[in-house]
Amino acid sequence: MKIGTFEVWPPVVLAPMAGITNIGFRSLCREQGGGLFVSEMITSRALVERVPLTFQMIRFGPDERPRSIQLYGVDPAIVGKAARMIAEEDLADHIDLNFGCPVPKVTRRGGGSALPYKRNLLRAILREAVANAGPLPVTIKMRKGIDDDHLTYLEAGRIAAEEGVAAVALHARTAKQHYGGTADWDAIKRLKDAVPEIPVLGNGDIWTADDALRMVAETGCDGVVVGRGCLGRPWLFRDLDLAFQGSAERTRPSLGEVAATMVRHAELLCEVIGSEPHGLADFRKHVGWYLKGFVIGAETRRGLTTVSSLAELRERAAELDGAQPWPADADGPRGKSGERTKVMLPHGWLDDPDDTTVPGADAEDATSGG
């Protein structure tokens, strides 16, 4: 799969996830297999205003290539400035634009998955981003639309292709679906048929490497984007590497092997954050994902989430039943789930899809998340 001048093999992308895809987690996944690994989302305004936290979020490892940033913005001028800044200051090698975030505090301000409904505003943002990114490829990640009555993905895909976007990724759910229900893989096929001239990547319900192969076979997409499927399962990238090479080998780690990966993950977070207490606090949310399916007592789980040092984590990990085999029901949904009753939107947002009014600056809250 080619994205601009970059060849991505296997054709796999780590989805940017707020609070997850920092340099530590990306390093852990890259140790397992190849692909394109995207940073946490940052806002274009925060980048242009040089907010220190934003620059911490876009740090990359010395051997991390290509360096990939996901950028979120609603103002064509600000997005253009951010793209130019990334190119001129060599902050990254690839820019991905977020038009898929379904979080209410983003959509209620006209951002994320709400924005493609304003097709001319979308076009203006893409035009500015591509024009200012210079040689850097610009891609987008989006959803099917706001809800089933307001689908935007086919028109947005055509606009992206016309404006020089290098690839489009589709999470095959609407914003209303959030992370609930089942991803509509047929939509990925329809998008690929609509924009055959650029790579189309599919996203949604890829829990195993075999899911990825099935998505490519059923939709004809050029590659896959993996999000929740790798939570507590960084070795999924090893499986994906093997699968796209035609190998039937799959990783089925014992609890002891999972425990060793947990310790490695925590070590990386502590190193990146520069503090054991803060690194371990950040690691807590990963514990349940790693242990899903294994037979482990509640007290043991609590103990692993309340450790105060890496030494204590290693001790508690060593107390686990290392010989316990990979559970039969260990794969499947992890992380966010559930559908929204409705999508929060700015007042009158659906009145005119051709309106190019730029949402207010508060739509680019630096804490919006991806």
Side-chain angles (χ1 to χ4, degrees):
M1 179 177 66
K2 292 199 71 172
I3 296 180
T5 59
F6 298 111
E7 290 190 2
V8 180
W9 185 260
V12 174
V13 177
L14 167 64
M17 292 179 280
I20 302 292
T21 55
N22 53 38
I23 187 173
F25 186 71
R26 295 198 310 274
S27 296
L28 184 66
C29 293
R30 289 173 61 242
E31 289 174 0
Q32 308 295 320
L36 182 65
F37 300 87
V38 188
S39 74
E40 295 178 82
M41 185 208 78
I42 61 170
T43 71
S44 55
R45 191 174 298 275
L47 183 66
V48 169
E49 293 177 356
R50 298 185 178 275
V51 174
L53 177 60
T54 294
F55 279 82
Q56 291 179 27
M57 293 171 66
I58 59 172
R59 288 181 297 164
F60 294 96
D63 60 344
E64 197 169 352
R65 290 291 187 278
R67 299 163 301 162
S68 182
I69 283 179
Q70 192 185 63
L71 197 62
Y72 161 66
V74 298
D75 186 326
I78 300 298
V79 171
K81 288 180 181 178
R84 181 177 291 274
M85 186 173 165
I86 291 170
E88 292 183 345
E89 298 184 21
D90 191 29
L91 299 178
D93 307 304
H94 160 237
I95 299 171
D96 184 55
L97 297 177
N98 181 317
F99 296 108
C101 182
V103 175
K105 65 180 176 181
V106 172
T107 59
R108 72 160 52 99
R109 294 165 174 168
S113 52
L115 196 141
Y117 184 76
K118 302 292 189 179
R119 52 199 173 204
N120 291 336
L121 179 59
L122 173 69
R123 185 183 293 276
I125 291 172
L126 297 181
R127 184 169 294 177
E128 284 296 312
V130 172
N132 284 280
L136 306 187
V138 175
T139 61
I140 69 170
K141 186 168 185 282
M142 59 184 180
R143 286 185 171 234
K144 287 173 58 182
I146 293 171
D147 53 35
D148 286 340
D149 295 323
H150 302 90
L151 299 177
T152 56
Y153 70 103
L154 293 177
E155 186 172 24
R158 286 303 322 159
I159 291 171
E162 291 165 3
E163 294 302 327
V165 167
V168 295
L170 177 66
H171 184 164
R173 287 181 169 88
T174 62
K176 183 176 182 294
Q177 280 185 276
H178 201 61
Y179 295 95
T182 302
D184 177 16
W185 288 7
D186 286 342
I188 299 170
K189 184 180 187 303
R190 288 190 288 271
L191 180 61
K192 181 58 189 175
D193 292 341
V195 287
E197 65 268 42
I198 60 175
V200 170
L201 293 87
N203 177 221
D205 295 347
I206 295 178
W207 307 110
T208 68
D210 295 299
D211 291 334
L213 294 182
R214 186 165 55 86
M215 176 185 279
V216 172
E218 292 181 7
T219 70
C221 66
D222 301 279
V224 299
V225 179
V226 178
R228 293 178 298 152
C230 67
L231 297 178
R233 305 288 186 271
W235 52 83
L236 176 57
F237 289 95
R238 178 178 183 272
D239 285 355
L240 288 162
D241 212 327
L242 290 166
F244 280 106
Q245 292 179 47
S247 172
E249 180 185 348
R250 299 292 182 266
T251 305
R252 294 292 182 267
S254 66
L255 181 53
E257 292 168 323
V258 170
T261 303
M262 291 172 66
V263 170
R264 172 65 177 153
H265 189 171
E267 290 171 344
L268 287 167
L269 288 177
C270 292
E271 179 183 336
V272 168
I273 295 173
S275 160
E276 280 197 21
H278 289 98
L280 291 167
D282 191 64
F283 178 69
R284 286 173 190 162
K285 58 179 173 280
H286 296 273
V287 172
W289 297 329
Y290 275 110
L291 300 181
K292 181 179 185 291
F294 287 100
V295 179
I296 296 169
E299 189 62 35
T300 300
R301 289 175 184 267
R302 277 195 296 272
L304 287 165
T305 61
T306 57
V307 296
S308 58
S309 69
L310 284 171
E312 185 182 356
L313 176 63
R314 295 185 188 104
E315 289 175 6
R316 290 190 177 273
E319 293 170 356
L320 295 171
D321 177 11
Q324 190 175 149
W326 181 253
D329 60 347
D331 295 318
R334 292 179 301 284
K336 304 171 184 175
S337 62
E339 186 167 320
R340 302 291 187 187
T341 54
K342 69 174 185 176
V343 181
M344 303 299 293
L345 298 168
H347 178 71
W349 186 255
L350 299 176
D351 292 348
D352 182 7
D354 293 315
D355 181 25
T356 58
T357 301
V358 175
D362 62 350
E364 290 198 41
D365 179 351
T367 62
S368 290

